[in-house]
Amino acid sequence: MKFFVRAAVVVAGLGVTGAVAQPDASGIEAHLAAAKAAAGFDFSGTLARVCVAPQTGPGADVAPPPPPDRATWFTDPAKVFDNLYFVGTKFHSSWALTTSEGIILIDTLYDYASEEAIVGGLKKLGLDPAAVKYVIISHAHGDHVGGAKLMQDRFGSRIVMGEPDWDAIEKSVNRFPNGKPKRDIVAADGQKVTLGDTSVTLVLTPGHTPGTVSMLFQVRDNGAPLMVAYSGGTAFNFPNDAAHFDTYINSQRKMAALAAAANATILMSNHSEFDNAVTKIKTLAGRKPGEPHPFDLGRDAVARYFKVLDECAQVARLKLM
């Protein structure tokens, strides 16, 4: 036999009694429908990760697992735009933005992949790893900050990261068995990391981690300038409570507004499941003159990406009730 207990609350001084609030099923469905509509065919991986099967809390401070077999993660480096190169893995992205005075590297993978994918990848593409003057880390999870120490120690690259994430690295006991990067440049909201003729605008978007950094920067496609909105953190692996979801939602709306103001038509991320980077790169080889670049989805698509994150976070927030 099943028993159902109806909880009650009493409003002090009024003697008012009522049922404890339950999740608004109609509201959840409405937000989920909006997320699905925004995702369309462009961001199905993002929808699956943050709406269908979202992560529900932060990871523990434990040592990383052993490196997986190379065949599971290796993919060839590639030139993606006139001034932007992919030096990532099948799952995690690292981007080399070339300038008149060197290279700005965005994210550095797990440490097991950084030597071959980043250092080796740059060399395969005819680029010098020693020319990497700045490394911008979107957030301090091992799959993005793992190669920062290598770049700092071997090539003297300056490391840029949000202050709370620098703090998290310094406090970590187990996550960096091969050593940590030394605290360097602390990212500020609206700060421009400039090297030669190129600047990357940093946008603080706390949520995924307290120090998550998103970015805006320009690339060139056969000489034509295009603006990139780089999403610094996506999944809900933070303490799942209303306050943290509010922070996350506000960050997505902030980045959406700034991307629209900058006329961004390209959405990039640090996971291929979110922006389909590896698949799009493979289609570049068959691109014909006059065809649009596979990464250039348009302003509407960029807006829809952040809409997916916004709506899915609202779904998860409502479920907390």
Side-chain angles (χ1 to χ4, degrees):
M1 180 179 295
K2 295 181 180 179
F3 294 91
F4 295 90
V5 179
R6 185 178 178 84
V9 294
V10 178
V11 180
L14 297 178
V16 178
T17 320
V20 171
Q22 297 297 312
D24 179 0
S26 62
I28 290 172
E29 288 303 317
H31 287 300
L32 183 56
K36 290 178 178 178
F41 293 106
D42 296 311
F43 307 117
S44 57
T46 305
L47 181 74
R49 180 69 178 274
V50 296
C51 260
V52 178
Q55 189 168 346
T56 56
D61 182 15
V62 296
D69 186 87
R70 177 182 180 274
T72 66
W73 59 263
F74 179 80
T75 189
D76 288 321
K79 182 176 182 178
V80 179
F81 288 96
D82 300 356
N83 60 329
L84 187 69
Y85 298 77
F86 176 82
V87 285
T89 70
K90 291 177 180 177
F91 310 107
H92 306 107
S93 298
S94 180
W95 300 95
L97 183 64
T98 57
T99 81
S100 60
E101 294 185 11
I103 299 170
I104 299 172
L105 188 70
I106 300 174
D107 285 322
T108 61
L109 316 173
Y110 278 117
D111 60 357
Y112 67 75
S114 56
E115 176 75 48
E116 182 172 7
I118 297 175
V119 178
L122 288 171
K123 291 178 179 178
K124 282 184 179 180
L125 293 167
L127 301 172
D128 182 1
V132 176
K133 305 303 181 184
Y134 291 103
V135 175
I136 304 174
I137 303 297
S138 60
H139 63 273
H141 287 160
D143 48 353
H144 309 298
V145 73
K149 176 177 169 57
L150 180 157
M151 299 304 298
Q152 187 178 60
D153 290 353
R154 189 181 303 176
F155 304 112
S157 306
R158 303 295 306 275
I159 311 298
V160 184
M161 196 171 357
E163 184 165 22
D165 284 24
W166 276 120
D167 293 342
I169 287 175
E170 291 177 348
K171 293 175 182 176
S172 174
V173 175
N174 301 306
R175 288 194 300 123
F176 300 94
N178 298 321
K180 309 172 183 179
K182 297 180 181 68
R183 182 184 286 257
D184 194 2
I185 299 173
V186 174
D189 199 29
Q191 175 183 354
K192 291 185 182 298
V193 176
T194 300
L195 186 62
D197 57 357
T198 302
S199 292
V200 176
T201 301
L202 309 183
V203 182
L204 300 189
T205 51
H208 183 69
T209 66
T212 294
V213 177
S214 296
M215 297 160 232
L216 294 164
F217 56 90
Q218 191 178 89
V219 294
R220 294 185 301 277
D221 179 29
N222 294 320
L226 296 168
M227 184 62 69
V228 174
Y230 189 94
S231 179
T234 304
F236 301 157
N237 50 344
F238 46 81
N240 280 195
D241 55 39
H244 280 86
F245 274 109
D246 287 344
T247 296
Y248 180 96
I249 291 166
N250 288 336
S251 288
Q252 306 318 311
R253 294 177 180 177
K254 172 184 177 180
M255 189 60 188
L258 290 172
N263 196 33
T265 61
I266 297 168
L267 187 286
M268 285 185 169
S269 176
N270 40 34
H271 285 257
S272 269
E273 67 182 308
F274 301 139
D275 62 3
N276 300 309
V278 171
T279 300
K280 290 175 181 175
I281 288 168
K282 290 178 179 178
T283 69
L284 275 172
R287 183 189 181 197
K288 298 177 181 177
E291 287 185 344
H293 195 287
F295 278 88
D296 186 14
L297 300 179
R299 287 170 52 97
D300 174 69
V302 173
R304 287 190 289 105
Y305 179 85
F306 294 107
K307 180 72 168 174
V308 172
L309 304 189
D310 184 331
E311 296 292 347
C312 289
Q314 292 191 66
V315 168
R317 190 186 189 284
L318 281 173
K319 287 181 177 179
L320 291 174
M321 298 174 59

